[in-house]
Amino acid sequence: MTYKCLIIDDELARELIETHLKQLDDFELEASCSSAIEVSTVLQQKTIDLLFLDIEMPVLKGTDFFKNLLNKPNVIFTRAYRNYALDGFELNTVNYLLKPITVCFFKP
């Protein structure tokens, strides 16, 4: 099975996640956006299996964005601070990645 992925992050971590997902056969990067506002078109046009989502972003927090999605994909929250981890797990997140994200996370 190939997991169709979407990355939403306003920081450099987005590029790191993109780079490593492209190296894995089971993951297909559908889109990468710097804000939750950019994502509506992608979600209307594509089916997403896994969402890498930063929590603290300008305009709209990742947790608020996720709460309002009608069709929620699996989500991995990314954040530089541990204090948001509980918020993420309360939303049934698959995982919570603490930045800086290291390469070892992506090894099969």
Side-chain angles (χ1 to χ4, degrees):
M1 176 178 179
T2 300
Y3 298 95
K4 296 181 183 288
C5 302
L6 171 62
I7 303 168
I8 309 169
D9 198 316
D10 65 327
E11 297 177 356
L12 201 54
R14 183 174 81 241
E15 294 173 17
L16 179 65
I17 296 169
E18 286 175 24
T19 298
H20 295 294
L21 284 179
K22 289 177 183 176
Q23 296 175 18
L24 298 171
D25 294 335
D26 294 339
F27 295 86
E28 182 178 329
L29 182 60
E30 291 294 322
S32 181
C33 303
S34 62
S35 76
I37 304 300
E38 296 177 39
V39 175
S40 61
T41 306
V42 174
L43 291 174
Q44 289 173 3
Q45 297 174 353
K46 299 180 184 246
T47 300
I48 300 299
D49 301 310
L50 183 59
L51 178 62
F52 289 86
L53 180 58
D54 188 11
I55 291 178
E56 195 66 41
M57 293 186 293
V59 184
L60 182 61
K61 286 178 66 170
T63 49
D64 293 335
F65 167 77
F66 190 72
K67 285 177 190 176
N68 290 310
L69 283 178
L70 296 177
N71 298 314
K72 292 178 176 48
N74 290 312
V75 64
I76 296 175
F77 284 110
T78 61
R79 186 67 184 119
Y81 304 102
R82 297 175 198 268
N83 58 333
Y84 287 97
L86 186 56
D87 294 342
F89 285 111
E90 287 176 351
L91 293 171
N92 296 321
T93 186
V94 171
N95 207 338
Y96 184 93
L97 296 178
L98 190 60
K99 296 177 186 179
I101 298 168
T102 59
V103 176
C104 64
F105 167 76
F106 294 100
K107 289 184 181 175

